[in-house]
Amino acid sequence: MSPMQKKIRWLHVNLFAKPADALLTLVVVPLLLWAVWAFLSWALTAADWSVVFNSLKVLMTGTFPSSKLWLVWIVAGMIAALAGLATSASIPFGRTAAVIAVLCYLVLVLAIFGAAHIAPQALLVLAAFHAAWLIGLRVPVLRENLAPIAFGTLIAVLVILSPVGPSNWGGLLLSILITLTAALLTIPLGILLAFGRQSKIASLRALCTGYIEVMRSVPLILVVFCIWVAFPLVLPKFPIPDVVRGLIGFTLFYSAYAAEFIRSGLQSVAKGQTEAAESLGLSDFDLKRIVILPQALRVAVPGLVGNILDIFNYAPLVFIIGLTDFLRAGQMILANPENSARTYEIYVFMFLTYFVVGSIITFQARRLEQKLNKGVRK
Amino acid sequence: MKAAQGEPIVQINQLNKFYGNFHVLKEVDLTVTRGEVLVIVGASGSGKSTLIRCVNGLEEYQSGTLEVDGFLMPRAEEREFGEVKGLREIRRGVGMVFQQFNLFPHMTVLQNITLGPMRVRRKSRAEAEENAMRLLDRVGLRDQALKYPGALSGGQQQRVAIARSLAMEPHLMLFDEPTSALDPEMVGEVLDVMRELAREGMTMMIVTHEMGFAREVGDRVIYVDQGRITESGTPAEFFDNPKNERTRTFLSRVLKH
């Protein structure tokens, strides 16, 4: 078959196999083309993207003091490096990745002429990502110890940003900090809750079950709000910043969901595994830590990643306790009468940002899942 | 064939086990001496697997006594109140091989074998790995050390499982239908390893349906019927001249094909 024939055959099979398919294709494809054309013609001619460009600082960091923005760049580099290392655990650096990397660097180099105040820093952040990816591929010790490295990075990030004061954290920075913190803390908490729910000690079991069920039956926004209100009542002497209270609310809420994903993972581990480990004389702790938990987490990964995506996508709800995350920052920009005509530009930009981050998370999760399943059959 | 002799390693006295109201094991008396190969046969559901699972505490028993290596296995009630000392001591000296192999799928063959020695016996990695390679040699799988269990055939997995148990240097090996989940062409390789173990003097309790193997390797064969040991004798006595009517019926069924 010639390449041309192959293409025709592909079209035939995928788009025109049956009369109904052909009809659907003839309706859907022109509609899609029209939508794309309409969007592009608006985006390239009518739209004025300077509003996004001029508000980048607010969108990305909220009220973060401009003189301290270099701290944010350092943090961005660290998070990028962490993401690169995480990528190296499941994705080799192939030709597609190289092409995408070169394109990104080209765009950023060209951008230096138009936006010299941010393009070089962005270039370095991207370089941190790629460097960590490549180093992770060559040094297995690093990517195998991703969890402690991630915790170390999180602590370092919070320490670096703390002099500025949590009340000044905002924009996409805040959304990512909430996601990173909650994602990292919910997993160990979820593990403890899941084991607690299966414990032989009745009081512990009741406590964990109760906690999980209560958290799962109330709305996130209520938990975040309650935590925010409760802290000053319980600890009037120690004022805790709004951001920290928000982080605690998200962590407490989503650890219940993480616990349920991990519990379903624990239940999927065959009973024979426990029996074999017991027969070897392993202690209960070793049995759970070395034999059961790694197998359970493999099963729980898709759910846990979905959880992280949920945290990211629900982070805008922190506006209820007065915080300015990415979405809220966009609305604040639009509240300025000068920008009132630029609603679409801002929302399209936020839409694309959420879409890009979200799809990167799901793409990596899928690759991780494939890798975990490979070579491991019970 | 060597004679069954020496001091007792397992002493079971008037053991009773219940699943709820169901009386699984009834007043079982059994002694296994060091170096003995005891084969346990019986119909499915007779309690033979339950019996050997009691010996390393995977199943609890309600009354009677069970002593292994001089340690008394705590009863179900004692275990409920956290009495596990005897259990822990017994498990350190008893290896178990399962019908479904139960290798740890997320660890390599080598990691499967070194886990117990390193975590329980506190051996160094180097020592544990050296010993593991020796054991893999013995079961003919030296070149598979770095593979994951999923990449091995059933017979190979079961041989790794045997090596994993042997790595703990047990005084007694329990085999719970070790060849029942295997394709027919792989049964032989596992039985060969077990035969070799018996020749070296390992004390073994084997639940199996391989009657030829039982006759050849066993020092003693017992028949379990509805939770009781109803027949016990040397392979010759057991297979050629069974005393009990039900044993005879069972043998006529399993030996016919």
Side-chain angles (χ1 to χ4, degrees), chain A residues 210-220 222-223 253 256-257:
Chain A
Y211 178 86
I212 292 169
E213 292 308 325
V214 167
M215 282 297 168
R216 272 159 41 94
S217 52
V218 297
L220 166 67
L222 179 69
V223 174
F253 181 81
Y257 285 85

Side-chain angles (χ1 to χ4, degrees), chain A residues 270-283 285-286 289-292 294-295 298 375-378, chain B residues 53 56 58 91 94 96 98 101-107 112 115-116 119-120 122 148 150-151 164-165 168:
Chain A
K271 195 157 175 285
Q273 295 288 310
T274 308
E275 293 184 347
E278 282 180 351
S279 301
L280 287 175
L282 287 189
S283 67
F285 182 70
D286 277 351
R289 183 176 66 90
I290 306 175
V291 175
I292 306 299
Q295 299 188 56
R298 268 165 221 262
V376 183
R377 286 259 74 95
K378 260 179 246 163
Chain B
R53 285 163 60 86
N56 77 341
L58 286 179
R91 279 183 178 159
V94 178
M96 174 114 186
F98 299 87
F101 331 133
N102 294 346
L103 292 176
F104 307 130
H106 60 301
M107 300 181 183
N112 264 277
L115 177 65
R119 297 303 309 173
V120 181
R122 303 282 161 195
Y148 285 89
R164 177 174 69 176
S165 288
M168 294 299 287

Side-chain angles (χ1 to χ4, degrees), chain A residues 303-336:
Chain A
L304 290 174
V305 172
N307 220 15
I308 294 172
L309 200 57
D310 268 359
I311 296 170
F312 182 65
N313 284 339
Y314 284 113
L317 290 182
V318 292
F319 85 88
I320 187 116
I321 56 173
L323 302 179
T324 311
D325 83 305
F326 187 50
L327 190 61
R328 185 83 188 136
Q331 289 177 322
M332 279 168 60
I333 289 160
L334 292 175
N336 182 343

